[in-house]
Amino acid sequence: MMKLAFVETKLLTREPGALFSLLIPLFILVVFGSSIEPGDTVLLPMALAIAVGLVALYMLPTTLATYRERGILRRLSVTPVRPGNLLAVQLLLLLVLALAACGLLLAVAGTVLGARLPAGGLPAAAVFILGTASMFAVGLLIAALAPNGRAANGIGVLLYFPMAYLAGLMQPVHLMPDMLIRIGEFTPLGAFAQSMREVWAGGAPSPLLLGVMAVYALVVSIAAAKFFRWE
C-alpha cells in the first residue's frame, strides 16, 4: 500500500492538471485580491470553492476513468494490489491536493493580501469537510458513468461551469436573480460556497446548507459505488 501511494504520488506531481488546480485559484485570488478591501468576506471563500471544485470535477473523474480505460484497474484485480486500494490512494492524494490548494490560498491571503480569516476554525473545517465530500461524490459518479477519460473530463467541465455560475463564483451573488441564488444553494458547490461565505462573515453556517452537502455526499457516493465499473 505504501509503495502504491509513493508511485501514485510521483504520477500526480507530473500531472499538469494538478498544477492547474493549484495555480488557477491562486491566480484569481491574487489578481482580484489586489483591489479588494482586507475585510472582504467573499473573494477568499470563492477561491477555496473554485479549488475544491477543480480537483473534484476535473482531476478525480478524469484520473479514475482513464485508469479504467487503460485496463489498469482490471490488471490490478489479479495482483495482490487490489483495485480498491488504488481507488483509496487516489482519493487520499486528491484530498491532499485540495488541502494543499486551499492551504496555499489561505497562506497568501493572510500574509500577502491581508485578507480576513474566519474566527471560528471548527465551523470552517466542518464546511470544508462536508463541501469536499459532496463534491468528491459527484466526481466519483462521473468517473463511474463515463466510458473513458476524455468523456469524464468533458462531463466534469460541463458540470463545473453551470455549478460555478449558480454558486456565485463567476459573478457576485447580489447581482444574480433571487431564483438562481436559491437554486444554487441546493447544488453541492453552491451550498459549499455560501456556507464558506457565512463562516467568513463571522456567522454560523446554515444547518440547511450543511444538510444539503451531507445528503449529496451520502446519496451520490452510494450511486457512484453502485455504478462504478472496474473494467
Side-chain angles (χ1 to χ4, degrees):
M1 190 75 169
M2 292 300 297
K3 185 176 181 180
L4 177 63
F6 177 73
V7 172
E8 291 299 314
T9 300
K10 288 179 62 177
L11 292 175
L12 182 62
T13 58
R14 298 171 183 171
E15 172 59 49
L19 187 61
F20 177 85
S21 299
L22 286 171
L23 295 185
I24 291 299
L26 182 62
F27 174 79
I28 293 172
L29 178 69
V30 171
V31 169
F32 291 98
S34 59
S35 60
I36 296 294
E37 295 294 327
D40 176 72
T41 60
V42 175
L43 182 60
L44 186 51
M46 179 185 77
L48 294 172
I50 289 173
V52 173
L54 286 174
V55 174
L57 297 184
Y58 173 66
M59 288 293 299
L60 193 159
T62 302
T63 300
L64 295 183
T66 299
Y67 275 21
R68 183 177 62 240
E69 177 187 3
R70 293 177 178 174
I72 294 174
L73 299 180
R74 175 176 51 81
R75 290 195 293 271
L76 283 177
S77 65
V78 296
T79 71
V81 181
R82 309 299 296 176
N85 293 341
L86 178 62
L87 178 60
V89 168
Q90 277 295 327
L91 288 175
L92 180 59
L93 289 178
L94 292 173
L95 175 60
V96 171
L97 177 62
L99 286 169
C102 292
L104 181 61
L105 291 170
L106 290 171
V108 172
T111 58
V112 178
L113 302 177
R116 183 179 187 273
L117 300 179
L122 188 59
V127 170
F128 178 84
I129 291 170
L130 283 175
T132 302
S134 64
M135 291 302 299
F136 271 41
V138 176
L140 284 171
L141 183 59
I142 295 172
L145 298 176
N148 52 56
R150 180 175 296 180
N153 189 356
I155 295 170
V157 170
L158 286 176
L159 277 180
Y160 178 78
F161 284 103
M163 288 176 64
Y165 173 77
L166 291 172
L169 303 182
M170 301 180 72
Q171 70 171 352
V173 175
H174 67 273
L175 298 179
M176 296 172 58
D178 291 340
M179 181 178 294
L180 290 182
I181 294 174
R182 191 63 176 168
I183 293 172
E185 290 178 348
F186 285 89
T187 66
L189 190 57
F192 180 33
Q194 179 58 30
S195 297
M196 277 293 186
R197 286 190 286 264
E198 291 173 352
V199 170
W200 248 258
S206 164
L208 174 62
L209 297 183
L210 294 178
V212 167
M213 291 184 285
V215 169
Y216 271 107
L218 178 62
V219 175
V220 180
S221 292
I222 292 173
K226 179 179 180 180
F227 291 110
F228 195 85
R229 297 168 289 110
W230 296 110
E231 56 181 298

